């Protein structure tokens, strides 16, 4: 959870805005399901990140959604790493002690790894669809 305490954010900002600007801030706050302060902080972060500007190409995710995506990616990565480790173990044992590797056991492990990799690919596909739906834009993950 993000620390919103006075210790974490000791500075206060007072800004004068027109009625139209205040209404735009209210709408943005409602659309993003966050406070007006969070909208202003989002704008500040967008400006600070390499000079990027909020605009047509910007997609903003709230804290819960962005951390849900990160959790899902970590889970997918963990499963992927475990699958690769299993394959490496099979390969190592087969190289070092070929007589100790039963073909049936290796085949069963490969079936499990194949199922896990299919799950990883499907999960990335679902995540891509979720991001596209949330952002109302096509999503492309260059690593998949």
């Amino acid at each position: 959870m993000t620390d919103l305490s006075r210790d974490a954010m000791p500075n206060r900002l007072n800004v004068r805005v027109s009625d139209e600007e205040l209404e735009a801030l209210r709408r943005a706050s409602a659309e993003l399901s966050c406070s007006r302060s969070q909208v202003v902080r989002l704008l500040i972060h967008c400006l600070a990140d390499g000079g990027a500007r909020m605009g047509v190409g910007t997609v903003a995710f709230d804290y819960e959604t962005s951390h849900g995506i990160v959790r899902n990616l970590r889970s997918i990565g963990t499963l992927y790493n475990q699958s690769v480790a299993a394959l490496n173990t099979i390969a190592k044992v087969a190289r070092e002690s070929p007589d100790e590797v039963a073909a049936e056991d290796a085949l069963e492990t490969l079936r499990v790894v194949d199922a896990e990799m299919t799950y990883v690919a499907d999960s990335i596909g679902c995540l891509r669809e979720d991001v596209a739906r949330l952002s109302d834009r096509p999503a492309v993950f260059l690593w998949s």
Side-chain angles (χ1 to χ4, degrees), residues 29-113:
S29 175
E31 288 174 15
L32 296 171
S33 299
C34 60
S35 70
R36 291 183 294 185
S37 291
Q38 289 171 315
V39 172
V40 171
R41 280 194 293 278
L42 173 65
L43 292 169
I44 291 168
H45 286 283
C46 286
L47 292 172
D49 289 340
R53 302 281 189 250
M54 287 286 286
V56 176
T58 302
V59 178
F61 295 105
D62 61 74
Y63 180 85
E64 183 178 333
T65 302
S66 63
H67 283 275
I69 291 169
V70 169
R71 273 193 309 277
N72 287 340
L73 284 173
R74 282 190 183 138
S75 296
I76 291 167
T78 298
L79 185 56
Y80 178 82
N81 286 338
Q82 289 171 344
S83 298
V84 170
L87 290 174
N88 285 334
T89 300
I90 292 170
K92 180 180 178 188
V93 171
R95 273 193 316 270
E96 293 175 357
S97 309
D99 296 335
E100 293 181 25
V101 177
E104 299 83 24
D105 292 340
L107 185 58
E108 180 57 30
T109 303
L110 289 172
R111 283 187 184 124
V112 169
V113 169

Side-chain angles (χ1 to χ4, degrees), residues 2-33:
T2 302
D3 185 4
L4 300 177
S5 70
R6 287 182 186 199
D7 290 337
M9 290 187 256
N11 301 303
R12 185 176 184 96
L13 177 66
N14 294 311
V15 180
R16 291 191 175 276
V17 295
S18 68
D19 291 339
E20 294 82 17
E21 291 169 330
L22 182 59
E23 182 54 34
L25 182 58
R26 284 187 187 127
R27 279 194 314 270
S29 175
E31 288 174 15
L32 296 171
S33 299

